[in-house]
Amino acid sequence: MNAHDSEKVVGTLMAQGYAQVENPEDAHLVLYNTCSIRDKAEQKVFHRLQQFKRDAGKGKVFGVLGCVAQQEGEKIFARAPHVSLVAGSASYTRLPEMLVQLEAGNRHVTGLSLDTDETFDTPLTRRDNPNRAYITIIEGCDKSCAYCVVPFTRGPERSRTSESVMAEARRLAEQGYTEIQLLGQNVNSYRDPSPAGWDFAALLARVAEVAGIRRVRYTTSHPRDFVKAIVDAMDANTVLCDHVHLPVQSGSTRVLAAMDRLYTRDEYRKRIEWLKTAKRRYSITTDIIVGFPGETEDDFQQTLDLLDEVQYDSLFSFKYSPRPNTAAVAMADAVPEEEKQRRLAVVQEKQRAIQIRRNAERIGSLEEVLVEGHNAALGQWIGRTSDNRTLNFTHGGAANGGSLVGQYIPVRVTRSGPNSLVGESATVV
Ligand code: 5AD
Ligand code: SF4
């Protein structure tokens, strides 16, 4: 989401007559977009600002955007006096106006209000990837997971109208994009504010019907709002990719309650069952937090058991990190750092074994990949399957020596590793 926010911010600036430079050293205006979901993001930002100011700061205007800006607010001006703009994502619609103030010489420009019902729709977005385009469908979050800073940094949920989402999807298809990724902190709670009133499943089905779009992905889902209609929509149209990211965070109902996740282990398993009994084979991935306050060895074991049961295709795992303003900061029974580290290593080792096994099952199969790049050193093309696996492949018949990037190609899988597959293209293109 942050990467896409940056794309929209750059587009907004370009619409105001700014141009993006190759090297930050050449810029007059330097904006840092920041994320504070984990770790000590704020410290990193101040360190980077300091360093940049020292090395190349003469005559430049600096701004801090994103979650650290929202979280630290005007304190940033005191700690980094060379910063002139501090704005959180809920204020980006006001960026043009804030830029005018900056240019008029105002050295304390802020956009920190969270009191908004607007979404950041920009007429121009400067997209980094020529094949896959992101579309934000919902901003902010109305949940209150005890560990999470997002509701404080991104504000309340605001859905875009289905009409503006569909118009953007059609425009992207006309521009030649073939893959769309729908974005939101919790895409499942999308609710069209216009009279059409589409829910997420309806939107998903319609975006998949846009002519020229061959793949649609979405992230991220909250299990509580992941309803059966979403699986049905996916089953009905293979343009909707064979992948669901369904963050569980913990396998223990007790810890899930402490986290205020609003579902139990069994309710989560029900969603997994829908996916496993669906018409198509879906790859399922998740996020895990280890060492949440009060997580016992038994709770942790339940997370490990869930990994055994679900057999995820991939996962992101994190040590719990206390975040400002969140409910969990005040919770007793912190898990010691070394124990968090140990649990993280155990999760990762177990998952690695699962992935080695699951990826090996693909050897011999024929997979369609979207070619995303080329690795010259290995002489391999980098492809991605519908179920979000990286499949690197050699291509014997590049008769015209041209680039395959952006093409959809069938590839036979010949080898596998814990994180990717290797294959040979099955046709001469
Ligand atoms: N500590 C550790 N992990 C966190 N995440 C969010 N907040 C925290 C935190 N305070 C993880 C969750 C979420 C992912 C995006 O980041 O697993 O799903
Ligand atoms: Fe954070 Fe929970 Fe909202 Fe996800 S659903 S952004 S984890 S508060």
Side-chain angles (χ1 to χ4, degrees), residues 16 27 52 72 81 101 116 137 150 153 156 161 175 207 213 246-247 257 261 273 306 335 338 370 374 385 395:
Q16 303 297 308
F52 198 78
E72 302 294 304
Q101 289 183 37
T116 178
I137 61 166
V150 167
T153 59
T161 63
Q175 290 169 358
V207 173
I213 297 302
L246 202 57
R261 285 291 285 178
E273 194 186 312
L306 190 74
V335 176
E338 315 82 81
L370 166 58
H374 186 247
T385 62
H395 185 270

Side-chain angles (χ1 to χ4, degrees), residues 72-92:
E72 302 294 304
E74 307 210 1
K75 279 188 274 176
I76 293 178
F77 294 130
R79 215 169 136 186
H82 54 293
V83 170
S84 305
L85 168 71
V86 174
S89 63
S91 302
Y92 290 167

Side-chain angles (χ1 to χ4, degrees), residues 141 143-145 147-148 150-151 185 222 249 261:
C141 182
K143 298 279 186 291
S144 44
C145 303
Y147 52 80
C148 185
V150 167
Q185 300 302 331
H222 190 292
Q249 314 299 359
R261 285 291 285 178

Side-chain angles (χ1 to χ4, degrees), residues 37-38 147-148 247 249 287-289 318-323:
I37 192 123
R38 292 179 296 273
Y147 52 80
C148 185
Q249 314 299 359
D287 292 346
I288 300 284
I289 296 177
F318 311 103
K319 288 184 285 184
Y320 165 70
S321 140
R323 303 281 72 213

Side-chain angles (χ1 to χ4, degrees), residues 311-330:
Q311 296 279 304
Y312 291 106
D313 292 276
S314 170
L315 60 74
F316 296 108
S317 50
F318 311 103
K319 288 184 285 184
Y320 165 70
S321 140
R323 303 281 72 213
N325 305 316
T326 59
V329 169

Side-chain angles (χ1 to χ4, degrees), residues 42-50 72 76 79-80:
E42 51 283 356
Q43 281 172 24
K44 267 192 254 168
V45 174
F46 285 117
H47 181 74
R48 291 269 295 275
L49 276 167
Q50 215 55 48
E72 302 294 304
I76 293 178
R79 215 169 136 186

Side-chain angles (χ1 to χ4, degrees), residues 150-255:
V150 167
F152 305 98
T153 59
R154 286 188 175 272
E157 277 178 5
R158 292 95 68 198
S159 290
R160 273 172 73 179
T161 63
S162 57
E163 196 186 305
S164 92
V165 172
M166 292 305 292
E168 186 167 359
R170 283 188 215 104
R171 203 162 54 236
L172 289 167
E174 279 161 22
Q175 290 169 358
Y177 291 95
T178 58
E179 179 173 321
I180 281 178
Q181 182 154 355
L182 304 177
L183 294 180
Q185 300 302 331
N186 176 7
V187 285
N188 307 150
S189 64
Y190 174 83
R191 175 61 66 173
D192 182 2
S194 67
W198 296 357
D199 62 7
F200 178 63
L203 182 74
L204 205 51
R206 297 291 175 71
V207 173
E209 284 167 3
V210 171
I213 297 302
R214 295 184 59 169
R215 286 186 175 179
V216 176
R217 304 183 183 279
Y218 59 91
T219 196
T220 205
S221 287
H222 190 292
R224 159 84 170 229
D225 304 320
F226 187 82
V227 293
K228 179 74 164 46
I230 299 172
V231 182
D232 295 342
M234 292 176 75
D235 268 349
N237 189 340
T238 55
V239 167
L240 298 168
C241 286
D242 309 344
H243 173 215
V244 176
H245 184 64
L246 202 57
V248 68
Q249 314 299 359
S250 167
S252 152
T253 293
R254 209 184 60 79
V255 172

